[in-house]
Amino acid sequence: MHFDINGLITEYGYLALFIGCIAEGETFTLLGGVSAHEGLLHFSGVVLAAMAGGVVGDQLLYWLGRRYGRRILSRFKKHQDKIIKANRLIKRRPSLFVIGVRFMYGFRLIGPIIIGASRLKPMKFFLLNVAGAAIWALIFVTLGYFAGGIITPWLHALDQHLKHVLWLVGAIVFAFLVRWVIRRWHTKRADQ
């Protein structure tokens, strides 16, 4: 059986990127940028898929925060002071917070929930979310694209050796499995 990773990336890359960016985006956008550098995906398609995934993910979290935000945020007892500061910033500078939340470590998932709980108007959040996602996707995909020039030679070398390593790991796992089955069989025979 031949496993063609390039074919899989070409066929499912945009969908995988979209889904990956709904939950966690930076890794997927960087890998999408590397794939665009390799010519497996189009740069603009990668940016659009990452942006769409980021928008959908944050919209879902926003609506979760709007509906259950107070209940969810009350469970973060240790972080109430940070939540209060975030709410103040949302009230003073909603544009800055909504666009910047993607770039704040530790706020990537909880940020949109806090914004939803703050009762920021849905249309305002949506427009700022789209703008933030566009900036975020463009930056990280571009970083991945330029990193592709550095990473790609290593990936090609790794690909040549990885096949041998996978066969070795498979053989070791198989040997341990056979050993376990034989021991279990001997144990059952001894118990009878």
Side-chain angles (χ1 to χ4, degrees), residues 94-104 132:
S95 302
L96 180 66
F97 192 84
V98 173
I99 291 173
V101 77
R102 294 175 188 285
F103 302 97
M104 295 181 206

Side-chain angles (χ1 to χ4, degrees), residues 84-151:
I84 291 169
K85 287 179 186 177
N87 274 315
R88 281 190 207 133
L89 186 56
I90 292 167
K91 297 224 184 305
R92 279 186 296 185
R93 306 236 190 270
S95 302
L96 180 66
F97 192 84
V98 173
I99 291 173
V101 77
R102 294 175 188 285
F103 302 97
M104 295 181 206
Y105 180 75
F107 274 92
R108 181 74 175 95
L109 294 176
I110 195 74
I113 294 173
I114 295 170
I115 296 166
S118 76
R119 310 312 274 175
L120 183 70
K121 293 188 186 316
M123 185 52 76
K124 185 170 190 167
F125 176 77
F126 175 73
L127 294 173
L128 292 170
N129 186 23
V130 169
I135 294 166
W136 169 80
L138 188 59
I139 288 171
F140 279 95
V141 171
T142 302
L143 286 172
Y145 186 85
F146 287 116
I150 298 166
I151 295 171

Side-chain angles (χ1 to χ4, degrees), residues 15-104:
L15 178 62
L17 185 60
F18 171 76
I19 292 169
C21 288
I22 288 175
E24 192 284 325
E26 284 77 17
T27 304
F28 287 93
T29 54
L30 290 170
L31 290 174
V34 171
S35 296
H37 180 271
E38 283 296 290
L40 299 172
L41 301 173
H42 296 285
F43 182 85
S44 57
V46 171
V47 171
L48 289 174
M51 181 182 152
V55 168
V56 169
D58 281 7
Q59 284 299 134
L60 292 172
L61 291 170
Y62 168 82
W63 286 107
L64 182 71
R66 199 135 161 105
R67 178 86 166 109
Y68 303 106
R70 303 243 185 257
R71 224 179 307 163
I72 293 169
L73 296 175
S74 69
R75 295 181 185 206
F76 293 94
K77 303 264 187 245
K78 293 181 191 176
H79 304 289
Q80 289 303 310
D81 57 327
K82 292 178 185 172
I83 293 170
I84 291 169
K85 287 179 186 177
N87 274 315
R88 281 190 207 133
L89 186 56
I90 292 167
K91 297 224 184 305
R92 279 186 296 185
R93 306 236 190 270
S95 302
L96 180 66
F97 192 84
V98 173
I99 291 173
V101 77
R102 294 175 188 285
F103 302 97
M104 295 181 206

Side-chain angles (χ1 to χ4, degrees), residues 166-192:
L166 287 175
W167 279 108
L168 178 63
V169 169
I172 291 170
V173 168
F174 181 73
F176 276 108
L177 184 63
V178 168
R179 181 177 172 217
W180 179 77
V181 168
I182 291 171
R183 279 189 172 181
R184 189 165 168 102
W185 181 67
H186 281 297
T187 305
K188 282 187 178 181
R189 284 191 73 201
D191 290 340
Q192 290 178 357

